[in-house]
Amino acid sequence: MSSDVRFIDFKSDKQPTWCPGCGDFGTMNGMMKALAETGNHPDDTFVVAGIGCSGKIGTYMHSYALHGVHGRALPVGIGAKLANPELEVMVAGGDGDGYSIGAGHFVHAVRRNVDMSYVVMDNRIYGLTKGQASPTSREDFETSTTPDGTNMPPVNPLALALSAGATFIAQSFSSDSQRHTEIVKEAVEHDGFGFVNVYSPCVTFNDVDTYDYFRDAVVDLDETDHDRHDKDAAREKVLDGDTEYTGVIYQEENSVPWEEREGLDENMAEIPDGAPEGAMDLVREFY
Ligand code: SF4
Ligand code: MG
């Protein structure tokens, strides 16, 4: 760990191929700033990304990185963190990657509460494959594959996380650089699984959920009007389908990361002959 790391130290020499104006630029800048301002160093950081426009982020950031299989970034990140608890693990992806093929991993990563962060660039569309409806697309969103809309309610990632037992749930807007950075910093510093859904507009294929739309629609929650530790208040906010909230929606007080829970090693059902004794040693052996 080093205190003199600048956010630019987390930037690689690769030029992003994202479309000019893509929300992912702002999302990534906030991630880099959050890592630097929380005292992390690229040599101690592992960024795992899924597939999609967002999945390219591990190439554009300077750190250890893995651009993995579609929807499977979370289990890779969890494995790395358990194998090397000193590592700062940040998983990144998009709404398609995380809430469609990766939805099962998302729910169980939330439940497990390993000490890491998960940043989802939610543009409510599949951008890389040129504009199909994603899990968070509006019900009436017309695309080449959904000419009459999806006729399905969108996935509500915040509600999904809350119902799965999340200990940290936040939302930010990539264009509000300072606030987005603050929120990702809080996710990094949280003791457990810090989940941030980021409104990160796709300027090429989504002409509904645009910068202008979010600028008008976002309602930022601060400590004076929302108690982040109040689960009932959080439930009310995440189920309010009419308001685009940003801020820390819920944070469990005294969250204990899964890997630090007492009795974890003793609770291992069966350790194969010749394997290391403890659960964490066992994980390290295999990663
Ligand atoms: Fe960004 Fe959309 Fe372009 Fe992908 S297609 S880089 S999400 S603007
Ligand atoms: Mg998307």
Side-chain angles (χ1 to χ4, degrees):
M1 296 279 180
S2 166
S3 58
D4 56 3
V5 172
R6 301 159 308 157
F7 94 92
I8 207 77
D9 296 324
F10 279 94
K11 194 170 180 341
S12 79
D13 58 2
K14 305 288 184 303
Q15 280 303 314
T17 57
W18 289 324
C19 308
C22 175
D24 294 354
F25 285 100
T27 305
M28 180 174 72
N29 282 346
M31 291 163 66
M32 295 190 297
K33 285 179 188 161
L35 286 166
E37 290 174 17
T38 48
N40 289 291
H41 189 283
D43 291 351
D44 304 313
T45 302
F46 183 43
V47 173
V48 192
I51 299 296
C53 291
S54 58
K56 300 174 181 177
I57 199 163
T59 306
Y60 306 150
M61 287 176 66
H62 173 58
S63 69
Y64 288 98
L66 189 139
H67 189 175
V69 184
H70 199 15
R72 317 292 178 214
L74 281 169
V76 173
I78 290 171
K81 182 67 183 182
L82 297 184
N84 181 1
E86 300 305 313
L87 208 54
E88 182 63 43
V89 175
M90 182 176 272
V91 176
D95 43 304
D97 183 72
Y99 306 144
S100 184
I101 191 169
H105 291 307
F106 173 57
V107 168
H108 297 292
V110 163
R111 291 175 61 223
R112 197 171 295 280
N113 198 38
V114 167
D115 191 15
M116 56 196 279
S117 51
Y118 182 39
V119 178
V120 179
M121 286 158 255
D122 183 1
N123 52 20
R124 302 178 173 175
I125 198 164
Y126 284 97
L128 190 68
T129 48
K130 304 195 184 310
Q132 298 80 24
S134 85
T136 52
S137 294
R138 297 161 187 253
E139 195 163 350
D140 59 356
F141 189 59
E142 295 176 8
T143 71
S144 56
T145 51
T146 56
D148 295 320
T150 69
N151 292 306
M152 287 185 285
V155 165
N156 180 334
L158 307 187
L160 196 57
L162 192 68
S163 65
T167 61
F168 185 97
I169 301 171
Q171 192 151 252
S172 65
F173 176 29
S174 66
S175 180
D176 188 347
S177 172
Q178 189 175 346
R179 186 73 177 119
H180 165 62
T181 302
E182 278 170 20
I183 290 167
V184 179
K185 269 172 75 175
E186 293 216 50
V188 170
E189 287 174 330
H190 174 67
D191 290 327
F193 189 79
F195 164 54
V196 186
N197 190 70
V198 187
Y199 298 136
S200 187
C202 172
V203 294
T204 302
F205 294 112
N206 191 331
D207 58 4
V208 177
D209 297 295
T210 60
Y211 286 103
D212 284 346
Y213 164 72
F214 283 114
R215 269 188 210 109
D216 287 345
V218 158
V219 174
D220 190 55
L221 298 170
D222 64 25
E223 301 305 308
T224 59
D225 51 24
H226 177 68
D227 177 1
R228 64 171 68 185
H229 302 306
D230 181 341
K231 206 165 199 172
D232 288 334
R235 193 174 293 115
E236 188 188 304
K237 296 290 185 302
V238 302
L239 292 177
D240 176 355
D242 297 327
T243 311
E244 311 281 12
Y245 288 112
T246 57
V248 179
I249 315 284
Y250 181 67
Q251 184 171 23
E252 187 175 293
E253 280 184 292
N254 308 316
S255 163
V256 179
W258 181 79
E259 63 274 29
E260 292 176 21
R261 293 202 176 149
E262 280 183 32
L264 190 66
D265 284 352
E266 291 75 12
N267 285 338
M268 285 292 284
E270 190 177 325
I271 296 179
D273 287 345
E277 288 290 316
M280 291 303 105
D281 288 341
L282 188 64
V283 170
R284 282 177 205 118
E285 180 80 359
F286 285 106
Y287 275 87

